[in-house]
Amino acid sequence: MTATSPARHLTAAELRGMLLAVADRVIASEPELSKADRDVGDGDHGLGMTRGFTAVRRLLRSDGAAPQAGGGDVYAVLTATGNALLSSMGGASGVLFGLLFRAGAAGRPPAERIGVPELADCLSASLTEITRRGGAAPGDKTLVDALDPAVASLAGSTAAGHDLPTALRRAADAAAGGAERTRNHVARFGKAVSLGERAIGFPDPGALSLTHILTAMADWAEAACHEPLASPSSAPSGGTT
């Protein structure tokens, strides 16, 4: 992170670096996500997530000043990421994961930096929009089971004044706990509905994906904070060329 944002705020360039790390993590997790979806669905979730985050990686590796990559506005970066997912993934997952990044950034004035309070607000707004659109609630065996505790964790971190790496790690751990609990749920949405109680014992693929996203964010933030004087262009991107 830069000297002006030690573990507290991300610039747009740093946010792009973090999201590139997310893309790499999700793409590398395709076999796990596809297997999880074969257990409860048709097995295409991992491929869809890979397609979406390949588009995100392509976008964010472009010139950082280009409007389509969000320029210097952190909320435009989040919106561009959501748009890339929505346009490339298709289906319900494309809508949900597109909203994860877009909905919380919508309507916010341009900003050069984003910190824990702003991230908490964004994910809370995204959760509200995802539940409004899809109707899912905690316990329905969807990504909401991971997102809801992550949002609560970020709100707690905001109140406690946690730095960015701490807040993201706590949120990732909360999401992981929520994803693990989906093993005990009967699905109310998606293809797993047809399995009824036969889906018990298997985690929800969307909740697993959300956990990978937040874990990659936490990993990136922790690594970046070990280089407090690094320039945005040299902060860890998580990507390979």
Side-chain angles (χ1 to χ4, degrees):
M1 298 209 181
T2 66
T4 57
S5 58
R8 292 292 173 181
H9 298 89
L10 297 173
T11 65
E14 289 166 339
L15 180 59
R16 276 190 288 272
M18 185 169 72
L19 292 174
L20 280 169
V22 169
D24 287 347
R25 169 79 179 235
V26 171
I27 291 167
S29 301
E30 184 274 325
E32 175 194 353
L33 298 176
S34 292
K35 179 186 182 303
D37 197 36
R38 285 195 298 272
D39 289 335
V40 296
D42 56 12
D44 65 351
H45 179 74
L47 294 175
M49 294 296 292
T50 295
R51 186 166 59 248
F53 278 93
T54 297
V56 168
R57 186 163 64 181
R58 186 182 309 115
L59 170 71
L60 297 183
R61 280 179 173 173
S62 67
D63 179 5
Q68 66 268 24
D73 174 13
V74 291
Y75 297 119
V77 173
L78 292 173
T79 299
T81 298
N83 287 341
L85 293 172
L86 185 62
S87 63
S88 61
M89 289 178 63
S93 289
V95 173
L96 294 176
F97 283 93
L99 287 173
L100 178 69
F101 292 96
R102 303 180 13 149
R108 296 182 186 270
E112 294 181 351
R113 286 177 166 77
I114 190 169
V116 175
E118 295 81 15
L119 281 173
D121 285 346
C122 282
L123 277 185
S124 178
S126 293
L127 173 62
T128 297
E129 185 63 11
I130 286 170
T131 55
R132 186 187 74 81
R133 292 276 195 100
D140 288 341
K141 206 179 184 81
T142 71
L143 72 86
V144 171
D145 287 294
L147 183 56
D148 183 73
V151 166
S153 177
L154 282 172
S157 286
T158 298
H162 292 152
D163 63 15
L164 197 63
T166 300
L168 287 172
R169 181 60 64 197
R170 287 168 57 90
D173 289 346
E180 181 63 22
R181 288 190 292 275
T182 63
R183 292 179 182 274
N184 303 321
H185 303 327
V186 174
R188 292 190 60 242
F189 294 88
K191 297 179 178 66
V193 170
S194 63
L195 295 178
E197 293 190 355
R198 287 178 293 163
I200 293 176
F202 300 104
D204 176 69
L208 288 178
S209 291
L210 191 280
T211 299
H212 280 300
I213 288 169
L214 290 174
T215 299
M217 289 181 173
D219 289 347
W220 187 94
E222 289 172 353
C225 284
H226 287 130
E227 301 177 22
L229 298 180
S231 66
S233 61
S234 63
S237 71
T240 57
T241 58

